[in-house]
């Protein structure tokens, strides 16, 4: 392609609303423009990257035995009512009525639609297993769309769904997809980790996320420094510990009420009493989806994991209760709440069990207790694993390891669904003995457009994007210093033709711009190789080959340029 005929609207300045580097660079380098919050136009360069990612995904999915189809974006509400998700999915599901007042939604994911298709067609065990996938636009009315393509409202997803006669075959396919995902993300040139994950709104009982490691990632993940264990902190287990042995006697310190005027947060009280945060018992009040107020206790230096809290309480979504409702229920401000004498149902984190010499709110204004002894002073309704894992925790799987923490961008997730959708929707098959059985299911998603952003988060420098070869919009940028100089133009055109003949994806910067502008734009859009044709070089029959990633340059003979570049690209794509 010739730059002068390509739609690449680069900008000199970062867009004002962009917080992360991929968002800034995608806009500045002319890859995307925002149409509405979380809704983007994909310009020619980003569409090329998307098509490359899609091609890798298709190749690997097909190789793994899956088949591509395409389902509608507009989904009738009835299916979502059958699965029960019409009520529970919340505002992320965008709903509308057609002219006949029938309810529809734009598909945020397609378990219902595909299960409906399969239940209408599959009759016998002979037609299974099946793995069907699509690459399609999804819509989720996210509360906080942000970071450009990372969290959009409209985005491109590859979603696959598999159907099996039994658990064993479904597990086999889960493993097949797991390995397929590893190949896909490796081929995209990304550094990633597969981590154990919570199943969220999709449901099911077993799940892994594929996380691209990046500081800007929205997910916190932990992994063991000794064994293979890795998990999203939402899911990460805490190693069970034995509570400290007891030796309480009459000399043990007595519980004492101390004044803590206006000191509410753990940090404030810790500073005031000169005691470390890990000595504190934090009391947090949550409202459950059944409208009950419950108190959750964690150590002062720990954070509640709401997913674990929901599991411990056996309820759906929980939300931190507001100050006013806590005061109305307990007659004390949340800052001075504590477990002793509290009338709410209480669950405590495992680390609270057997705690001694602790500090907790006294359930009256401006006062805390010190020297609290859990076993002597209060008994919560239950103990459970309630907290988020943190770096330094012991590994829950092996005996020696400790957890390290990272930030990650979730680019894919695989789920073992079991009968979660087949049962309510009645997707069954007849087994070898003619008995009707529910189909076992799995599902597997990849955020194609998010992957574009994730690749940039991992591959950039202060001058712009550095595309991995396999997903770059072009492989080489051919840059004549001055395209109006006849000799330079002839040389550049000749190399351009030779490259095209060899099937090399080349962008020729034939614009009438100063060399400085061209070099800046070249770095910004991030094509892996740059071939510069200049006056001095041409006199020696040489051109300059420069690698975008490390800035390394080589002078290569003009006559060999196309061949040299072709073999570099072939090698890089095989690597
Ligand atoms: P998240 O936790 O980031 O909201 P999710 O777990 O809800 O994502 P899935 O239902 O697992 O998402 O969807 C499959 C894939 O689609 C995700 O792994 C992610 O890469 C991508 N994805 C999900 N939501 C978005 C979004 N709002 N914008 C871009 N990509 C998304
Ligand atoms: Mg997910």
């Amino acid at each position: 392609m010739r730059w002068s005929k390509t739609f690449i609207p680069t900008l000199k300045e970062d867009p004002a609303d962009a917080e992360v580097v991929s968002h800034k660079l995608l806009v500045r380098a002319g890859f995307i423009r925002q149409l509405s919050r979380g809704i983007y136009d994909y310009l020619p360069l980003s569409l090329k990257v998307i098509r490359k990612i899609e091609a890798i995904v298709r190749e690997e999915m097909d190789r793994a035995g899956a088949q591509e189809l395409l389902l509608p974006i507009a989904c009738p509400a009835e299916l979502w009512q059958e699965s029960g998700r019409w009520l529970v999915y919340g505002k992320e599901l965008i709903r509308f009525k057609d002219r006949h007042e029938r309810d529809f939604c734009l598909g945020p994911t397609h378990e219902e639609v595909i299960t409906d298709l399969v239940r209408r067609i599959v009759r016998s065990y002979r037609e299974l297993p099946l793995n069907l996938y699509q690459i399609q636009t999804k819509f989720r009315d996210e509360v906080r769309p942000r970071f450009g393509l990372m969290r959009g409202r409209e985005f491109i997803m590859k979603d696959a769904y598999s159907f099996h006669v039994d658990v064993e075959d479904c597990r086999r396919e889960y493993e097949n997809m797991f390995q397929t995902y590893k190949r896909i993300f490796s081929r995209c040139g990304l550094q990633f980790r597969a981590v154990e994950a919570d199943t969220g709104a999709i449901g099911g009982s077993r799940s892994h996320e594929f996380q691209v490691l990046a500081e800007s990632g929205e997910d916190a993940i932990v992994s063991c420094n000794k064994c293979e264990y890795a998990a999203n902190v939402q899911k990460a287990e805490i190693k069970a510990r034995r509570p400290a042995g007891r030796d309480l006697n009459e000399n043990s310190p007595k519980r004492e009420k101390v004044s803590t005027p206006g000191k509410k947060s753990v940090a404030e009280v810790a500073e005031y009493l000169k005691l470390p945060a890990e000595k504190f018992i934090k009391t947090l009040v949550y409202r459950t989806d059944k409208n009950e107020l419950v108190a959750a206790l964690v150590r002062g230096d720990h954070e509640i994991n709401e997913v674990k809290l929901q599991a411990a309480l056996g309820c759906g979504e929980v939300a931190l209760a507001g100050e006013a409702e806590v005061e109305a229920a307990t007659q004390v401000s949340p800052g001075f709440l504590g477990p002793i004498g509290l009338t709410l149902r209480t669950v405590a984190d495992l680390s609270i069990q057997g705690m001694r010499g602790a500090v907790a709110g006294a359930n009256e204004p401006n006062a805390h207790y010190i020297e609290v002894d859990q076993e002597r002073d209060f008994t919560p309704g239950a103990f459970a694993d309630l907290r988020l894992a943190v770096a330094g925790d012991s590994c829950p799987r092996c005996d020696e390891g400790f957890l390290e923490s990272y930030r990650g961008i979730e680019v894919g997730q695989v789920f073992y669904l079991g009968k979660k959708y087949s049962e309510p929707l009645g997707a069954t098959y007849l087994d070898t003995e003619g008995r009707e059985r529910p189909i076992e299911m799995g599902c597997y998603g990849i955020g194609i457009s998010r992957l574009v952003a994730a690749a940039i988060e991992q591959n950039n420098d202060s001058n712009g994007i550095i595309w991995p070869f396999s997903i770059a919009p072009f492989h080489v940028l051919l840059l004549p210093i001055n395209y109006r100089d006849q000799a330079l133009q002839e040389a550049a055109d000749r190399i351009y033709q030779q490259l095209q003949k060899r099937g090399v994806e080349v962008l020729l910067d034939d614009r009438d711009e100063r060399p400085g502008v061209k070099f800046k734009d070249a770095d910004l859009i991030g094509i892996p190789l740059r071939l510069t044709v200049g006056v001095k070089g041409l006199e020696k029959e040489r051109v300059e080959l420069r690698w975008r990633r490390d800035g390394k340059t080589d002078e290569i003979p003009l006559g060999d340029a196309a061949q040299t570049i072709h073999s570099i690209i072939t090698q890089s794509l095989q690597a």
Side-chain angles (χ1 to χ4, degrees), residues 61-100:
M61 289 300 290
D62 292 350
R63 191 216 301 252
Q67 298 169 66
E68 187 172 1
L69 46 53
L70 188 56
L71 302 167
I73 297 176
C75 310
E78 289 79 26
L79 290 179
W80 284 72
Q81 284 153 354
E82 269 190 80
S83 72
R85 285 207 290 187
W86 187 254
L87 290 177
V88 300
Y89 213 97
K91 287 197 165 173
E92 241 179 61
L93 185 68
I94 199 156
R95 303 155 207 248
F96 62 97
K97 287 184 191 297
D98 70 4
R99 65 168 74 207
H100 305 293

Side-chain angles (χ1 to χ4, degrees), residues 209 410 412-413 415:
E209 284 165 353
E410 181 199 321
Q413 187 165 11
F415 300 82

Side-chain angles (χ1 to χ4, degrees), residues 140 197-199 202 207-209 219 410 412-415 450:
R140 295 184 183 177
D198 180 56
T199 52
I202 309 272
S207 182
H208 282 89
E209 284 165 353
D219 286 329
E410 181 199 321
Q413 187 165 11
V414 293
F415 300 82
R450 180 181 287 182

Side-chain angles (χ1 to χ4, degrees), residues 482-550:
N482 177 1
Y483 195 68
R484 288 205 302 190
D485 176 299
Q486 204 185 340
L488 289 186
Q489 182 175 128
E490 274 171 17
D493 282 352
R494 199 161 52 241
I495 302 173
Y496 181 62
Q497 278 161 14
Q498 290 166 347
L499 285 170
Q500 283 196 319
K501 220 162 61 198
R502 288 178 163 80
V504 170
E505 295 167 22
V506 50
L507 178 65
L508 168 61
D509 192 349
D510 59 347
R511 294 175 300 167
D512 186 13
E513 287 282 2
R514 285 180 293 114
V517 173
K518 290 185 170 191
F519 287 135
K520 254 201 149 60
D521 277 351
D523 278 353
L524 182 61
I525 68 171
I527 310 302
L529 296 174
R530 188 184 83 195
L531 195 64
T532 309
V533 186
V535 183
K536 283 202 205 99
L538 210 55
E539 283 164 6
K540 298 181 284 177
E541 293 274 304
R542 294 193 156 250
V543 283
E544 183 202 79
L545 176 64
R546 180 172 179 275
W547 294 75
R548 174 66 183 89
R549 190 169 292 279
D550 56 10

Side-chain angles (χ1 to χ4, degrees), residues 170-240:
C170 197
R171 296 234 153 164
R172 177 201 51 72
E173 188 63 12
Y174 185 97
E175 180 59 24
N176 181 26
M177 284 295 108
F178 190 93
Q179 297 305 335
T180 302
Y181 274 35
K182 278 189 169 173
R183 278 198 298 277
I184 290 172
F185 299 125
S186 302
R187 281 185 63 185
C188 290
L190 299 170
Q191 276 183 288
F192 63 94
R193 285 213 68 156
V195 305
E196 292 182 13
D198 180 56
T199 52
I202 309 272
S205 57
R206 176 181 162 79
S207 182
H208 282 89
E209 284 165 353
F210 290 78
Q211 296 277 356
V212 163
L213 303 178
E215 267 314 303
S216 57
E218 291 182 288
D219 286 329
I221 58 183
V222 288
S223 72
C224 177
N225 63 352
K226 288 272 156 56
C227 75
E228 287 292 287
Y229 182 74
N232 191 310
V233 292
Q234 299 289 345
K235 174 78 180 177
E237 298 153 34
I238 306 295
K239 194 184 193 101

